[in-house]
Amino acid sequence: MTALEFQLIAKDRDSAARLGRITTPHGRIATPAFMPVGTQATVKAMTREELKEVKSQIILANTYHLYLRPGHELIGRLGGLHEFMCWDGPILTDSGGFQVFSLGELCKIREEGVTFQSHLDGSRHFISPEVSIAIQEALGSDIMMCFDECPPSSAEFGYVKKSMEMTTRWAVRCRDAMRRDDQALFGIVQGGRFDELRKESVCRLRDIGFDGYALGGLSVGEEKGVMYGVMETCEPFLPEERPRYVMGIGTPEDLVEAVYRGYDMFDCVMPTRNARNGMLFTSEGTLNIKNARYAEDRSPIDPECDCYVCRNYSRAYLRHLYRAGEILASRFNTYHNLHYYLNLMEQSREAIAEGRFNAFRKEFYNKREANR
RNA sequence: GGAGGGGUUCCCGAGUGGCCAAAGGGAACAGACUGUAAAUCUGUCGUCGGACGACUUCGGAGGUUCGAAUCCUCCCCCCUCCA
């Protein structure tokens, strides 16, 4: 598999943090990297130009959603996802495994695959590892994800063990189903909160061999300590020369902690969804732009931020836009939040490159503490 | 001038003798959101008190009744139609 190259550029002295570079057919990605989520072939509220302005290097799209609408075959006929959505950078597609988890009762999971009902019209469908890969190949993403099962954090050992073993078998089927050689495939580590299952999952995936390795089944309701613990458990067993992706995280703190523990790629709906719900990220913590105390606040969202929104607009105006239900509120809030996340990653990379990630991490927390 | 309809808690609006501090919606205030069924969802929303409760409310004033937003009398205001 040569569709993806990973170069390890530097390792932090005092932590597991690492600086790297991924090369895909659609460009390079400096890691650690945050990947904005564009489930339905759009990062909600953002144009391509805006995504570039905030320095998005790679974005996500979702197999499940695009299969249902507009249909992966249609996207394939139109030249693939890059051409369809007019994004010429790298794209990672999630396999649809997470939807099996989040759609709950609409799904039935068996060894062959998952039968489910569309959340759009109730129609019945079937996705297996082979189908998921076929969809992702039609979409033409740079990085495909294995089709996996993502159990809730409350799942007990016996269930998680069986689930992880099935996910591992599915991983083999995914790899065997690949027909194209210009796409990379990442395996997904499962095993819930159980260290021995996580270890086993990592080792078995490593034996199969993937272009990169992802931790799945995190940020699904478990305690922070469990999440960080799983990262620590898996890290020593992950091949150093391959990118490591923690799926679905997280808060800014989660990202800093994951980088600290040696992970390279992250994605989360938090900056985009929460933006649309009025929650903004700043160097001093979060703020809810809906709150009455910003009614006459002339300051920018984050005094330390140099994004387009912070350079031009006041909290008072953004609060007004939100309350008035104006579409610009979603756009500005999303723009700022993505800028914050992507900037946090850029700063992390600089810190690692300069061998001061620990100090960076400490300062990150100090600023928050000072303004509580 | 005549006929009819109506004034309800910040707004709109249900309620027409007790189960009404009063449905529902909006606004307001606060919270949640982690591989997006999300520009979504939850809570509070007369005053005071932890809960139970107490007190003050349904245009105004009086009255009937054990009990009134609901019935009666007068007054004030608004709307529609006719002249």
Side-chain angles (χ1 to χ4, degrees):
Chain A
M1 289 188 257
T2 53
L4 179 143
E5 283 173 27
F6 179 69
Q7 245 186 302
L8 188 57
I9 296 169
K11 287 169 69 179
D12 189 55
R13 265 196 313 275
D14 310 311
S15 72
R18 43 199 236 147
L19 186 71
R21 183 163 54 226
I22 296 171
T23 305
T24 75
H26 288 88
R28 290 175 166 179
I29 305 152
T31 65
F34 178 79
M35 309 183 281
V37 178
T39 302
Q40 310 209 64
T42 167
V43 176
K44 296 184 196 297
M46 289 292 97
T47 63
R48 173 189 58 177
E49 284 68 27
E50 288 160 343
L51 287 173
K52 300 263 183 191
E53 278 171 31
V54 297
K55 299 183 186 169
S56 309
Q57 306 186 82
I58 169 173
I59 60 176
L60 249 70
N62 193 284
T63 298
Y64 166 84
H65 295 265
L66 297 176
Y67 156 78
L68 286 181
R69 181 174 59 192
H72 58 293
E73 287 167 339
L74 179 142
I75 291 174
R77 285 195 297 277
L78 293 175
L81 194 49
H82 293 87
E83 192 171 331
F84 181 58
M85 67 182 291
C86 206
W87 172 260
D88 58 8
I91 297 176
L92 182 149
T93 43
D94 189 20
S95 64
F98 186 74
Q99 276 57 49
V100 174
F101 161 72
S102 68
L103 266 53
E105 292 177 11
L106 293 175
C107 296
K108 187 170 182 199
I109 304 163
R110 290 171 307 179
E111 182 71 27
E112 309 93 275
V114 177
T115 49
F116 63 94
Q117 280 186 273
S118 162
H119 70 279
L120 299 172
D121 63 5
S123 56
R124 287 172 202 288
H125 300 266
F126 175 73
I127 292 186
S128 63
E130 292 78 14
V131 172
S132 178
I133 293 298
I135 297 170
Q136 297 186 69
E137 290 193 335
L139 296 174
S141 53
D142 297 271
I143 300 173
M144 304 189 289
M145 298 305 298
C146 282
F147 191 62
D148 66 331
E149 192 201 352
C150 178
S153 66
S154 56
E156 83 282 12
F157 185 87
Y159 183 90
V160 175
K161 180 174 164 65
K162 282 189 175 163
S163 169
M164 179 275 284
E165 286 166 350
M166 185 177 73
T167 287
T168 308
R169 289 190 295 275
W170 284 5
V172 175
R173 286 167 60 185
C174 283
R175 199 197 54 181
D176 291 347
M178 285 177 73
R179 296 288 172 270
R180 291 174 59 162
D181 59 7
D182 58 344
Q183 292 174 281
L185 180 65
F186 280 24
I188 303 178
V189 176
Q190 289 290 350
R193 59 205 307 140
F194 308 104
D195 286 347
E196 61 267 48
L197 297 184
R198 287 285 180 179
K199 275 185 214 167
E200 186 184 343
S201 178
V202 174
C203 293
R204 288 170 68 173
L205 290 175
R206 200 182 53 193
D207 292 344
I208 300 165
F210 290 95
D211 296 296
Y213 297 85
L215 299 191
L218 293 178
S219 60
V220 290
E222 77 282 4
E223 305 81 3
K224 291 277 182 199
V226 172
M227 185 199 293
Y228 300 152
V230 168
M231 292 178 192
E232 288 167 19
T233 299
C234 295
E235 194 276 332
F237 299 94
L238 289 162
E240 190 174 74
E241 70 283 1
R242 298 280 83 190
R244 306 156 171 183
Y245 164 24
V246 187
M247 306 185 79
I249 70 159
T251 63
E253 292 86 347
D254 291 341
L255 297 188
V256 169
E257 292 309 307
V259 169
Y260 179 75
R261 289 166 172 78
Y263 292 85
D264 311 306
M265 303 164 68
F266 317 98
D267 80 284
C268 191
V269 303
M270 190 169 275
T272 44
R273 177 192 284 167
N274 288 23
R276 297 193 302 282
N277 294 332
M279 179 181 159
L280 302 171
F281 293 92
T282 81
S283 55
E284 301 172 355
T286 61
L287 66 82
N288 188 338
I289 200 64
K290 291 178 272 193
N291 288 171
R293 62 172 174 284
Y294 303 121
E296 300 190 38
D297 192 336
R298 307 170 82 111
S299 59
I301 300 166
D302 183 352
E304 283 193 19
C305 180
D306 66 347
C307 85
Y308 168 78
V309 178
C310 286
R311 284 201 317 271
N312 291 285
Y313 299 98
S314 66
R315 290 173 174 178
Y317 181 62
L318 293 166
R319 168 174 143 90
H320 161 68
L321 288 181
Y322 185 92
R323 284 158 30 103
E326 284 294 335
I327 200 163
L328 203 52
S330 285
R331 290 172 37 70
F332 281 166
N333 292 348
T334 301
Y335 187 100
H336 168 82
N337 276 357
L338 279 180
H339 180 276
Y340 175 84
Y341 267 63
L342 293 161
N343 184 249
L344 180 67
M345 290 295 99
E346 187 171 22
Q347 308 247 307
S348 299
R349 291 194 297 267
E350 285 172 13
I352 299 167
E354 294 165 14
R356 52 173 181 82
F357 184 74
N358 262 8
F360 171 79
R361 175 167 171 259
K362 211 164 281 174
E363 199 194 339
F364 170 82
Y365 283 112
N366 285 344
K367 272 185 201 157
R368 287 161 183 260
E369 206 52 46
N371 292 283
R372 281 178 74 174

